[in-house]
Amino acid sequence: MSVYVALWDCPTCSHVGNLGPHTNCAACGSPRPKKVHFYLPENPIIVENEEEIAKSLAGADWICGHCTAHNKAWETICRACANPRSEDSEDVTIEEKEYEEGEVPVTGKVKRELNANELAHVREKAAPSSKRFLWLFPIIAIAIFALLFFWKRDGEVSVAAFEWERETEMLHNEIVQKETWDLPSEAMNVSSFQAIHHYNKVFVRNETRYRTVQVPAGTERYACGKVSKGNGYFRTKYCTRTIYKNKQEPYQQAIYMDVPVYSKKYRYSIWEWVKKEPIRASGKNQSPEWAKPSVDDMNKWKEGDKKAKYWVIVKDNEEKLHKEEIKFELWQKMKKNDKLPALVQGVTGTYKGLNLKE
Ligand SMILES: [Zn+2]
Ligand SMILES: [Zn+2]
């Protein structure tokens, strides 16, 4: 256990840092206030002297109800007015206070008067200055630049040319080899064999394993804060807590095995429509058509899904060409030299895309 010397501040003359055990202000001689606030500075004096340690633990100081003088615990009559200490009178014992670590007060309640130098510094900081908002100008400049950069307005382009591309998926009817669990009625050349259908988890045995658990193993005392003794000293505060130790604890782990389950699987041939390379047609005009299959035996071929893309090539006011994909319904109604609404950059007028209402 350690004992520390506390400090207190004088509210009468604002003197800071009176030694805790002193019952009168070192500057003005006033007695400690009735509700004295003891605190511990960052590097407090540690009491080493056995006699002083004993005094610090003797108990809290008491304040005389007749004259408000502060007296030590072992004093039985007031040192100022000589009235005896009494439980019936207005005598007050200063309270002990417990603090958690980190909550021990480190300053007094009296604010120190600022000296002339410090006062000047504070005034300078608070003074308004025209330079305070200078940092805003680059931010405003960047914001205006960004607004102009992203600003788009309505413009106009003219239709210069058309393009299209059409694609047809081709399917070929052919015999394919297959393996399945269920046999379709159109299957040919059927054979069967045993194959693994799935696995079953089967219990084999229980195995004893060990895991680490924490069990209580008694208690320990540790420093958990400080106690203000009510006499100008603080001492270490102690708390107790449970300590734990690791223990190996056995448990049963079930062990399983994967056992394959066999079933009858079929191998067979079957006629199927199989996807082949699609056929494509494209052009730079406004007369789209679907590609014609160039195969002899149309019994063995058929057409599948169809896809198409249509583009309009527009000319902007800087004579630059832009290729835009659009819907067929709009595309087929357009004519060369038609004017189309577009979006252009607000400042430079550069083309940024079509603005068609659908
Ligand atoms: Zn004072
Ligand atoms: Zn007294």
Side-chain angles (χ1 to χ4, degrees):
M1 184 192 63
S2 300
V3 171
Y4 309 89
V5 177
L7 299 178
W8 60 274
D9 297 347
C10 174
T12 308
C13 75
S14 300
H15 178 68
V16 164
N18 287 303
L19 290 176
H22 291 182
T23 52
N24 289 81
C25 174
C28 71
S30 301
R32 281 198 308 220
K34 203 169 182 185
K35 293 193 170 166
V36 59
H37 172 74
F38 291 117
Y39 61 94
L40 269 192
E42 251 181 64
N43 295 304
I45 301 164
I46 298 171
V47 181
E48 311 274 9
N49 181 296
E50 291 293 331
E51 209 174 306
E52 195 177 350
I53 290 174
K55 279 182 180 174
S56 78
L57 301 177
D61 293 354
W62 59 277
I63 302 165
C64 172
H66 293 98
C67 74
T68 72
H70 288 229
N71 298 286
K72 295 291 164 189
W74 56 86
E75 289 173 317
T76 53
I77 57 167
C78 176
R79 55 168 78 162
C81 70
N83 272 300
R85 185 179 189 180
S86 140
E87 279 168 27
D88 314 328
S89 72
E90 300 290 297
D91 296 348
V92 175
T93 306
I94 298 174
E95 272 182 12
E96 281 198 13
K97 273 186 193 156
E98 297 198 358
Y99 297 98
E100 303 287 305
E101 210 65 79
E103 282 168 11
V104 182
V106 292
T107 57
K109 291 220 165 128
V110 172
K111 280 223 174 86
R112 192 166 56 83
E113 296 285 326
L114 296 177
N115 64 36
N117 249 342
E118 289 165 326
L119 269 176
H121 184 70
V122 169
R123 285 210 191 94
E124 192 181 307
K125 253 188 157 177
S129 157
S130 58
K131 285 179 182 174
R132 278 175 80 183
F133 296 103
L134 269 182
W135 59 274
L136 266 174
F137 289 108
I139 293 172
I140 292 169
I142 289 166
I144 291 171
F145 181 79
L147 274 176
L148 289 176
F149 185 80
F150 290 110
W151 172 40
K152 285 177 191 162
R153 59 181 166 82
D154 290 333
E156 204 176 59
V157 289
S158 63
V159 176
F162 297 93
E163 278 186 39
W164 57 270
E165 190 181 289
R166 285 181 166 182
E167 187 182 290
T168 309
E169 194 178 77
M170 292 303 289
L171 303 170
H172 184 242
N173 198 222
E174 55 193 60
I175 293 171
V176 293
Q177 307 294 324
K178 291 216 155 175
E179 284 180 6
T180 57
W181 301 107
D182 302 305
L183 194 63
S185 55
E186 306 85 24
M188 304 173 293
N189 308 324
V190 178
S191 65
S192 69
F193 59 100
Q194 289 292 309
I196 295 172
H197 186 268
H198 64 276
Y199 291 88
N200 279 346
K201 279 210 176 302
V202 175
F203 174 78
V204 182
R205 64 180 188 280
N206 270 328
E207 215 174 78
T208 302
R209 291 187 185 174
Y210 292 87
R211 61 187 157 213
T212 306
V213 290
Q214 296 221 304
V215 291
T219 55
E220 67 174 356
R221 244 162 68 92
Y222 68 103
C224 61
K226 296 205 168 56
V227 182
S228 173
K229 295 298 289 175
N231 55 10
Y233 295 98
F234 279 65
R235 71 158 174 83
T236 315
K237 178 188 173 189
Y238 290 96
C239 301
T240 55
R241 63 186 165 199
T242 310
I243 50 172
Y244 295 87
K245 65 173 186 191
N246 288 342
K247 193 187 143 194
Q248 294 303 109
E249 183 189 77
Y251 69 98
Q252 296 299 305
Q253 174 72 52
I255 308 295
Y256 293 89
M257 193 174 82
D258 287 331
V259 178
V261 177
Y262 287 84
S263 184
K264 192 180 189 179
K265 200 167 191 180
Y266 298 98
R267 186 177 289 136
Y268 55 90
S269 307
I270 195 163
W271 282 97
E272 253 182 22
W273 289 103
V274 179
K275 278 184 194 175
K276 300 290 180 185
E277 263 299 289
I279 51 173
R280 291 186 186 88
S282 61
K284 300 198 174 194
N285 51 48
Q286 220 173 350
S287 325
E289 53 194 29
W290 296 103
K292 302 244 175 351
S294 62
V295 287
D296 331 327
D297 188 359
M298 271 316 279
N299 286 333
K300 296 211 162 170
W301 289 91
K302 72 174 181 184
E303 293 181 352
D305 293 342
K306 294 185 172 194
K307 284 190 283 192
K309 281 181 177 179
Y310 304 91
W311 295 276
V312 63
I313 286 99
V314 295
K315 191 193 283 180
D316 65 19
N317 52 14
E318 294 167 319
E319 301 286 303
K320 281 187 192 149
L321 297 175
H322 307 276
K323 186 174 173 181
E324 301 284 0
E325 187 181 347
I326 60 169
K327 284 190 173 168
F328 179 66
E329 295 74 35
L330 283 168
W331 184 83
Q332 71 179 156
K333 277 186 239 158
M334 286 177 183
K335 284 189 284 297
K336 220 171 172 179
N337 299 323
D338 275 359
K339 300 290 179 201
L340 298 182
L343 284 176
V344 297
Q345 212 289 326
V347 180
T348 61
T350 307
Y351 174 78
K352 288 288 174 189
L354 285 179
N355 191 22
L356 301 173
K357 310 270 181 295
E358 307 205 0

